[in-house]
C-alpha cells in the first residue's frame, strides 16, 4: 500500500476478509477469447463452484467480515474509552498507546495483559491481531494518519443471521478477454468511502475488454502478487445487485493479456457489515451495461 491509500489488502477489500481468490481457470482451460466446450466447460464450472464455496466459508468464518461490529476512530474518543471495548486507547503519534488493568480482561499476543503497550497497525489475517477481549479480536487500523480499533465478534448478529450470498451461477458469456495497460506512474485519487468520508484510492492502470461489441474500461490497482483489483458499478447496481462490487482478475501475462471474469465479481466487505469503509468506484468505473453475474446481494434470515 502506498502511504495510507485504500488498497485491496488494506482492511476494506483485503483478501483476509474479502475472500480474495485467483480468477484464473484450471490448467488446460480455454484461454482468453476462446469459448470453452465439453470437458473444459465442466472444469471451469467446477472451479467456479469451488471458488463460491470458499467465499461462503471465508465470509461466514468466526473472524470473517460478518463479525465486524464496530470501527472506532480514536479522534472521536479523546478520552481513550471506546464503546464496549475495555482499556484506554490513545493516539501516540506513530503508534497507538493501550493501557489496561487485569479487570479489563484483555490479552496481547495471546497472554493476559496489564500495563501499557505501544501498538502499530495490524497486518495480515484478523485472527493474527495482537489484542483480544475474550473471543473478540481488536484490530488496530491506521488510515491517512488516523488511528482506529475494529471489533470483530464471532457472536455478532450479522453472522448469526447469515443465510448465504445471492450469486448468479457460472456462465461462460461473462469470461472476457482483456488487456491491461499500466500507468507511467501510480496515481492516487480521492473517492468517497462507505462511511461518507473521502480518502485516497491508489490506482496503477486500466483494463480494456469488449462486451456485446462495445469496448469498456476499468481502472485497477495492482496487488503485491501481480493480480488486479477493481471497484466497479454497473447497470444492476442498487437494483438487482449491491450498489458496487469488487473484481479481482489474475495477473496479466507479459503482453498485458488478462481474463476479465465477472462470474467472480465479489460483494465488498461493507455489504456484510456497515462498519467497513470500502471505497466507492472511482470515476470511469461505472459500467452502463448490466453485469448480471457473480455475487449480487447478501442473504440474511
Amino acid at each position: 500500500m502506498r502511504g495510507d491509500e485504500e488498497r485491496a489488502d488494506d482492511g476494506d477489500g483485503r483478501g483476509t476478509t474479502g475472500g480474495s481468490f485467483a480468477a484464473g481457470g484450471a490448467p488446460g482451460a480455454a484461454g482468453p477469447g476462446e469459448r470453452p466446450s465439453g470437458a473444459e466447460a465442466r472444469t471451469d464450472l467446477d472451479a467456479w463452484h469451488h471458488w463460491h464455496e470458499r467465499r461462503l466459508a471465508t465470509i461466514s468464518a468466526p473472524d470473517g467480515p460478518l463479525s465486524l461490529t464496530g470501527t472506532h476512530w480514536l479522534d472521536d474518543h479523546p478520552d481513550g474509552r471506546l464503546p464496549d471495548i475495555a482499556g484506554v486507547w490513545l493516539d501516540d503519534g506513530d503508534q497507538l498507546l493501550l493501557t489496561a488493568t487485569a479487570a479489563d480482561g484483555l490479552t496481547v499476543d495471546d497472554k493476559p495483559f496489564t500495563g501499557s503497550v505501544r501498538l502499530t497497525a495490524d497486518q495480515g489475517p484478523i485472527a493474527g491481531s495482537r489484542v483480544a477481549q475474550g473471543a473478540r479480536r481488536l484490530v488496530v487500523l491506521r488510515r491517512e494518519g488516523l488511528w482506529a480499533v475494529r471489533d470483530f465478534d464471532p457472536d455478532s448478529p450479522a453472522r448469526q443471521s447469515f443465510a448465504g450470498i445471492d450469486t448468479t451461477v457460472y456462465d461462460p458469456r461473462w469470461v472476457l478477454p482483456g488487456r491491461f495497460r499500466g500507468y507511467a506512474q501510480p496515481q492516487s485519487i480521492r473517492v468517497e468511502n462507505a462511511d461518507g468520508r473521502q480518502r485516497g484510492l491508489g490506482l496503477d492502470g486500466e483494463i480494456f475488454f469488449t462486451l456485446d461489441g462495445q469496448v469498456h474500461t476499468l481502472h485497477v490497482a495492482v496487488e503485491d502478487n501481480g493480480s488486479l483489483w477493481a471497484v466497479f458499478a454497473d447497470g444492476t447496481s442498487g437494483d438487482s445487485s449491491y450498489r458496487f462490487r469488487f473484481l479481482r482478475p489474475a495477473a496479466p501475462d507479459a503482453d498485458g493479456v488478462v481474463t476479465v471474469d465477472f462470474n467472480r465479481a465479489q460483494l465488498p466487505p461493507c455489504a456484510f457489515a456497515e462498519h467497513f469503509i470500502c471505497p466507492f468506484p472511482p470515476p470511469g468505473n461505472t459500467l452502463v451495461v448490466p453485469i448480471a453475474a457473480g455475487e449480487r446481494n447478501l442473504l440474511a434470515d
Side-chain angles (χ1 to χ4, degrees):
M1 189 178 73
R2 297 191 297 272
D4 290 302
E5 296 164 348
E6 178 70 52
R7 298 303 295 267
D9 57 354
D10 163 79
D12 293 274
R14 61 191 295 176
T16 53
T17 60
S20 175
F21 307 116
E34 299 177 15
R35 189 77 172 181
S37 61
E40 287 185 355
R42 175 55 54 183
T43 297
D44 289 343
L45 177 60
D46 291 343
W48 179 87
H49 277 295
H50 180 63
W51 167 83
H52 177 57
E53 292 301 319
R54 289 181 64 190
R55 280 283 292 166
L56 291 176
T58 298
I59 296 303
S60 61
D63 56 357
L66 290 163
S67 67
L68 182 62
T69 60
T71 296
H72 306 290
W73 296 95
L74 266 59
D75 64 342
D76 293 332
H77 306 279
D79 63 353
R81 299 287 185 179
L82 306 182
D84 301 318
I85 295 178
V88 177
W89 306 72
L90 297 173
D91 184 339
D92 195 34
D94 290 337
Q95 295 178 312
L96 184 155
L97 178 64
L98 169 62
T99 301
T101 66
D104 289 322
L106 296 180
T107 60
V108 174
D109 299 329
D110 298 321
K111 298 178 181 179
F113 174 73
T114 61
S116 296
V117 63
R118 285 177 170 80
L119 304 169
T120 57
D122 285 305
Q123 305 291 333
I126 302 304
S129 65
R130 296 189 63 190
V131 185
Q133 184 173 336
R136 295 154 56 192
R137 307 302 305 192
L138 305 179
V139 177
V140 176
L141 167 74
R142 194 181 195 197
R143 187 69 51 77
E144 296 188 335
L146 299 178
W147 291 99
V149 177
R150 283 183 161 157
D151 187 353
F152 287 87
D153 184 352
D155 294 324
S156 71
R159 183 166 180 260
Q160 302 307 312
S161 65
F162 180 62
I165 302 174
D166 178 19
T167 308
T168 301
V169 72
Y170 177 88
D171 184 340
R173 171 178 182 257
W174 296 109
V175 183
L176 307 169
R179 188 168 296 275
F180 169 75
R181 183 180 67 191
Y183 299 138
Q185 296 292 332
Q187 299 180 8
S188 178
I189 63 172
R190 306 293 291 181
V191 299
E192 186 176 356
N193 286 199
D195 64 348
R197 301 186 186 184
Q198 286 198 352
R199 297 181 178 88
L201 176 68
L203 298 171
D204 299 291
E206 301 174 349
I207 51 176
F208 302 85
F209 59 93
T210 301
L211 177 61
D212 295 336
Q214 298 293 320
V215 176
H216 301 277
T217 305
L218 288 175
H219 303 278
V220 299
V222 178
E223 299 281 57
D224 290 342
N225 64 1
S227 65
L228 308 178
W229 175 56
V231 186
F232 78 97
D234 65 276
T236 71
S237 298
D239 183 11
S240 59
S241 298
Y242 189 72
R243 54 184 173 169
F244 63 93
R245 292 180 283 173
F246 289 172
L247 190 67
R248 299 179 183 276
D253 69 14
D255 295 321
V257 175
V258 63
T259 298
V260 180
D261 186 356
F262 284 108
N263 291 292
R264 301 194 184 198
Q266 299 178 7
L267 294 179
C270 55
F272 304 104
E274 63 181 358
H275 307 287
F276 284 104
I277 55 175
C278 306
F280 288 175
N285 274 24
T286 297
L287 304 173
V288 296
V289 295
I291 305 296
E295 296 180 355
R296 311 292 289 278
N297 288 293
L298 169 68
L299 299 176
D301 293 331

